[in-house]
Amino acid sequence: MLHCGRWTMIESDQFSGLTTVPTSSISWEEGEDGYIPDGAVVGGKTLTEETTYIGRTRLVENRNELTPGVIIPSEKCLLVPYGTGVRSASKYEVLVGSNHDYLQWIPCHGGNVPNNSVIGGMDCSYLEPLYIGRTMGSLEQGRTWRGRRLELSDRLGNTQIPGKVHQTHKCLYVPFMEKEYLFRHYEVLAFKESPASLKALSKHSIRQGLSQNYPHEFAEQDCEVQMKLIDQLQLPEKLKEYCKLDFMQH
């Protein structure tokens, strides 16, 4: 992972290139007693259709490391799933976004998370990040650690509950009805790729393809030949010009 000003560059497994992530588009602001600042990131809704928000706090049980959970304004606290139960905190941090268009919820399962996932805290036992997730689909999929199922099918509706994704445990944990429930299928909060990053990935893919198909021309670093090869590609002219400028700089 590379840091460049207000952007974080993360390696892409598919392209072995870089994707651009605007990490400065989010921040954590202090709150208490149900307070929600402007721009807070919505996490979901309760059974009564109340909007909930993403929050986190430091847990003594987690060696005072930050642990993400859900803020329910009417209950004036943050609820965090931990140790098969639920911990509450009247003081907490709220996830705030300056531009929510940079964020998206991506379906995942079995502990998987996208490359650009938002980190909400740390698990001190496993020394690994805790990611921000939420339930998807029916809450009947939820189980306690003993395997007990939720039996509220007539009331669940489209309820979505935020919580923490634990990769080693291969699940999402959420606080609900004073218990910690785990879900194998869930959504993860992640940054979107910016248009600039998509352009960079396209450029990298083109460069990689040309070097593989025309290894001799690229080995000689003949700029004029490289420009002609780019001209032959069935691509938009603007993308060709972008690639040419990049090739001339290397």
Side-chain angles (χ1 to χ4, degrees):
M1 181 180 293
L2 305 175
H3 295 279
C4 181
R6 60 187 292 271
W7 302 90
T8 297
M9 312 296 282
I10 300 179
E11 293 185 4
S12 168
D13 294 335
Q14 182 178 1
F15 294 95
S16 299
L18 298 173
T19 58
T20 308
V21 180
T23 55
S24 64
S25 64
I26 65 168
S27 60
W28 294 90
E29 296 188 15
E30 293 184 356
E32 61 179 301
D33 298 329
Y35 168 74
I36 301 297
D38 292 339
V41 177
V42 172
K45 290 185 179 296
T46 66
L47 294 175
T48 59
E49 297 295 314
E50 179 182 359
T51 300
T52 62
Y53 300 88
I54 304 298
R56 67 182 185 181
T57 191
R58 296 186 181 276
L59 290 184
V60 174
E61 298 92 331
N62 194 27
R63 297 182 185 177
N64 283 322
E65 289 290 351
L66 290 165
T67 309
V70 54
I71 301 170
I72 304 177
S74 65
E75 296 190 16
K76 300 185 182 302
C77 68
L78 165 76
L79 300 178
V80 176
Y82 193 86
T84 76
V86 177
R87 307 293 186 269
S88 64
S90 59
K91 294 184 178 181
Y92 45 77
E93 293 182 358
V94 188
L95 180 62
V96 175
S98 61
N99 187 340
H100 290 195
D101 289 338
Y102 283 140
L103 299 172
Q104 62 183 333
W105 292 94
I106 300 178
C108 295
H109 69 279
N112 295 319
V113 299
N115 286 337
N116 301 345
S117 299
V118 177
I119 296 175
M122 176 70 69
D123 185 289
C124 68
S125 298
Y126 293 85
L127 298 179
E128 68 180 43
L130 295 172
Y131 298 94
I132 297 169
R134 69 180 182 185
T135 58
M136 57 180 288
S138 173
L139 292 187
E140 290 181 307
Q141 300 174 18
R143 301 286 189 277
T144 65
W145 71 279
R146 289 183 174 178
R148 181 179 177 182
R149 299 177 57 181
L150 282 165
E151 298 179 356
L152 299 169
S153 57
D154 58 332
R155 296 172 52 198
L156 296 183
N158 295 320
T159 302
Q160 285 187 298
I161 307 172
K164 62 182 182 183
V165 176
H166 197 301
Q167 287 191 288
T168 297
H169 291 184
K170 302 183 184 303
C171 68
L172 163 75
Y173 288 111
V174 303
F176 188 70
M177 304 292 286
E178 300 183 355
K179 290 184 174 62
E180 180 183 60
Y181 285 88
L182 65 88
F183 292 78
R184 299 298 181 187
H185 294 265
Y186 47 82
E187 293 180 338
V188 179
L189 185 63
F191 292 102
K192 292 180 180 177
E193 293 178 348
S194 73
S197 72
L198 296 178
K199 186 186 292 184
L201 288 175
S202 298
K203 174 200 67 181
H204 177 80
S205 182
I206 292 169
R207 172 183 284 275
Q208 188 177 54
L210 288 175
S211 63
Q212 290 175 351
N213 293 324
Y214 304 97
H216 178 70
E217 289 83 348
F218 272 75
E220 293 186 352
Q221 297 291 312
D222 189 326
C223 184
E224 184 176 350
V225 173
Q226 292 176 358
M227 297 303 106
K228 289 181 179 179
L229 291 174
I230 293 175
D231 281 330
Q232 295 174 13
L233 298 175
Q234 299 297 314
L235 294 172
E237 291 301 321
K238 286 187 177 180
L239 184 55
K240 289 182 183 180
E241 293 302 317
Y242 176 72
C243 291
K244 288 180 181 179
L245 287 173
D246 178 75
F247 277 43
M248 287 187 290
Q249 293 172 359
H250 288 77

